[in-house]
């Protein structure tokens, strides 16, 4: 039942991004790992349907804005986002820092909702952006809401990289931090994912008591100390995630 043409078409769309904004047919084939003739047929179909566009001068391809329909349809149909938005907005107003909701996708967390700070921010993560579970507060918070055997499986499947000099890559230490976050009700990350960028996250649970998402708040080190993040933002994000959990369970 598995359709390889659909798989290749989706792989081509996913190959475009900030590093590959424009690609020739040969570059597309090489990036996705398919033959040039296969890429030609699939790209022609995607262009005809309006999902990619070709520059008539450079003859290179780029994503067309029609691809946004798929993502917008997901956001519009996601009842969790509707339930979470009022609480995310309230926390954003209270702390005036960027507050976001992420959902799991493999060993990553995906941004599905975000309320941005009015103050200068270290980095802006667009809806649909991904970040690894093992070194982020949102990822660790989500993992803390799972059984230990599932935590182990997801960590084993992750590729630990030192994204900053502070990134934790030791399996046992990461697992210990996840369990500590479970006990405390929120997980922390002090510049492990991005320098100058601290954050704290807490899991959102469904009716069955299983983690399905995580709320996290970004705290630039230029405005916050570690102690302040734990003492002030930790309880706030835990309360926000708890309110979303209650809304989900009564929806």
């Amino acid at each position: 039942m598995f359709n390889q043409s659909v798989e290749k078409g989706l792989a081509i769309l996913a190959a475009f991004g900030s590093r590959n904004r424009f690609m020739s047919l040969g570059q597309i084939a090489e990036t996705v790992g398919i033959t040039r003739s296969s890429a030609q047929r699939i790209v022609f179909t995607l262009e005809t349907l309006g999902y990619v566009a070709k520059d008539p001068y450079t003859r290179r391809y780029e994503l067309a804005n029609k691809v946004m329909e798929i993502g917008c349809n997901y956001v519009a149909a996601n009842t969790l986002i509707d339930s979470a938005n009022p609480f995310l907005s309230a926390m954003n107003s209270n702390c005036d820092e960027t507050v976001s909701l992420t959902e799991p996708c493999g060993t990553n967390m995906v941004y599905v909702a975000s309320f941005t700070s009015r103050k200068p921010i270290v980095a802006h993560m667009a809806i649909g952006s991904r970040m690894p579970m093992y070194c982020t507060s949102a990822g660790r918070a989500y993992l803390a809401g799972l059984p230990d055997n599932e935590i182990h499986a997801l960590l084993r499947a992750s590729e630990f990289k030192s994204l900053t000099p502070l990134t934790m890559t030791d399996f046992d230490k990461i697992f210990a931090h996840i369990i500590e976050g479970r006990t405390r009700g929120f997980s922390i990350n002090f510049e492990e994912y991005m320098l100058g960028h601290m954050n704290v996250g807490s899991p959102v649970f469904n009716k069955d008591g299983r983690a399905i998402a995580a709320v996290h708040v970004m705290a630039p080190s230029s405005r916050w100390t570690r102690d302040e993040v734990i003492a002030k933002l930790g309880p706030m994000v835990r309360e926000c995630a708890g309110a979303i959990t209650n809304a989900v369970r009564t929806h």
Side-chain angles (χ1 to χ4, degrees), residues 103-110 129-134 136 139 142 154 158:
E103 293 182 332
C105 181
T107 59
N108 296 310
M109 300 298 289
V110 179
S129 299
R130 300 186 180 198
M131 58 183 178
M133 290 181 181
Y134 73 94
T136 58
Y142 168 74
L154 284 167
S158 302

Side-chain angles (χ1 to χ4, degrees), residues 33-186:
I34 58 178
T35 64
R36 186 184 177 89
S37 60
S38 179
Q40 185 175 32
R41 291 193 301 271
I42 296 171
V43 169
F44 176 81
T45 302
L46 293 173
E47 183 182 12
T48 302
L49 294 174
Y51 290 105
V52 298
K54 181 170 67 174
D55 187 298
Y57 300 102
T58 66
R59 303 186 68 81
R60 294 198 298 170
Y61 295 88
E62 65 179 321
L63 290 179
N65 59 22
K66 189 175 180 181
V67 299
M68 296 178 66
E69 287 184 7
I70 300 172
C72 287
N73 287 342
Y74 175 78
V75 172
N78 191 322
T79 56
L80 172 61
I81 297 174
D82 286 339
S83 298
N85 276 338
F87 302 106
L88 298 175
S89 177
M91 182 175 173
N92 168 255
S93 297
N94 289 336
C95 68
D96 201 12
E97 296 293 355
T98 300
V99 182
S100 305
L101 180 73
T102 59
E103 293 182 332
C105 181
T107 59
N108 296 310
M109 300 298 289
V110 179
Y111 281 78
V112 295
S114 188
F115 287 79
T116 307
S117 172
R118 293 172 296 177
K119 301 175 183 177
I121 57 176
V122 177
H124 171 67
M125 303 296 286
I127 300 302
S129 299
R130 300 186 180 198
M131 58 183 178
M133 290 181 181
Y134 73 94
C135 65
T136 58
S137 68
R140 290 174 182 170
Y142 168 74
L143 290 169
L146 301 179
D148 288 0
N149 64 314
E150 293 187 33
I151 298 175
H152 277 263
L154 284 167
L155 290 180
R156 296 290 184 199
S158 302
E159 184 181 358
F160 295 164
K161 294 182 179 179
S162 295
L163 303 180
T164 78
L166 300 174
T167 305
M168 193 178 302
T169 57
D170 181 84
F171 183 97
D172 292 333
K173 289 183 179 179
I174 294 172
F175 182 75
H177 270 254
I178 292 169
I179 299 305
E180 181 182 351
R182 177 191 289 169
T183 302
R184 187 173 45 213
F186 59 86

Side-chain angles (χ1 to χ4, degrees), residues 77-84 207 243-251:
N78 191 322
T79 56
L80 172 61
I81 297 174
D82 286 339
S83 298
K207 295 178 181 179
I244 297 172
T245 293
N246 289 336
V248 169
R249 289 174 173 174
T250 58
H251 188 80

Side-chain angles (χ1 to χ4, degrees), residues 222-241:
S222 59
R223 292 196 289 269
W224 295 83
T225 66
R226 294 189 178 198
D227 290 343
E228 288 172 339
V229 168
I230 294 173
K232 184 176 181 180
L233 295 182
M236 289 179 68
V237 76
R238 181 176 59 201
E239 180 180 352
C240 179

Side-chain angles (χ1 to χ4, degrees), residues 142 145-147 150 204-213 249:
Y142 168 74
L146 301 179
E150 293 187 33
V204 175
F205 298 91
N206 63 11
K207 295 178 181 179
D208 299 321
R210 180 180 178 82
I212 54 172
R249 289 174 173 174

